[in-house]
Amino acid sequence: MRTRHIKINVYLNENEKKMLEEKSSKMKLSQSDFLKMLIQDYSENKILNKDIEEIIISLSDVYNNLFELLNKLNRLCYYDFAYFLNEQIFNIKKQLEKFKIKIIEKAMLEF
């Protein structure tokens, strides 16, 4: 059931319309949601949950690829490179854990 019952018509010029389209698509929101977020003191600097999820997925992919490379380097006896790579993998894993903790904390605050 719809919770909003008030419809507002807004007149824009071509430039404003283009800006609205660009900014809402940049933030991965519909134009309506973008305007609602602006009304609720939305700032472009806030990271959306979708963005955080995409970052975690990307970092997880990088982590997995580096781990595979580490295994190959160990099999080929490139221990110096493997040690360096292992440190980088550990750093990525720490960052992933930090992101996950922030998501959990944010979810708890919203309840």
Side-chain angles (χ1 to χ4, degrees):
M1 181 172 209
R2 184 177 289 212
T3 59
R4 293 177 175 91
H5 303 287
I6 300 171
K7 180 179 178 182
I8 297 177
N9 294 321
V10 179
Y11 291 92
L12 304 172
N13 62 32
E14 291 296 322
N15 190 37
E16 292 167 335
K17 171 82 167 125
K18 185 178 177 182
M19 287 172 46
L20 176 61
E21 289 170 351
E22 288 174 358
K23 290 183 179 187
S24 63
S25 67
K26 180 181 176 185
M27 302 310 293
K28 300 176 184 164
L29 296 170
S30 69
Q31 292 175 8
S32 177
D33 288 338
F34 180 76
L35 291 172
K36 290 174 200 166
M37 301 266 309
L38 285 174
I39 292 168
Q40 299 168 0
D41 293 330
Y42 175 77
S43 74
E44 201 170 302
N45 295 331
K46 289 184 182 176
I47 298 178
L48 299 174
N49 284 341
K50 289 180 187 177
D51 295 333
I52 292 173
E53 290 171 10
E54 289 175 11
I55 290 169
I56 288 176
I57 291 169
S58 296
L59 277 175
S60 296
D61 290 343
V62 170
Y63 173 83
N64 291 331
N65 291 338
L66 288 175
F67 199 76
E68 286 179 28
L69 181 59
L70 175 65
N71 289 333
K72 289 178 184 178
L73 288 172
N74 278 328
R75 282 194 301 265
L76 295 171
C77 300
Y78 286 103
Y79 299 116
D80 291 340
F81 293 116
Y83 177 76
F84 172 76
L85 193 57
N86 196 35
E87 288 180 340
Q88 301 310 311
I89 291 171
F90 179 74
N91 290 336
I92 291 172
K93 189 174 183 178
K94 279 196 324 189
Q95 292 302 318
L96 279 170
E97 292 303 318
K98 284 182 185 179
F99 276 130
K100 289 177 184 177
I101 289 170
K102 286 182 182 181
I103 289 173
I104 292 169
E105 288 174 350
K106 185 175 182 181
M108 291 177 77
L109 288 174
E110 289 176 359
F111 285 113

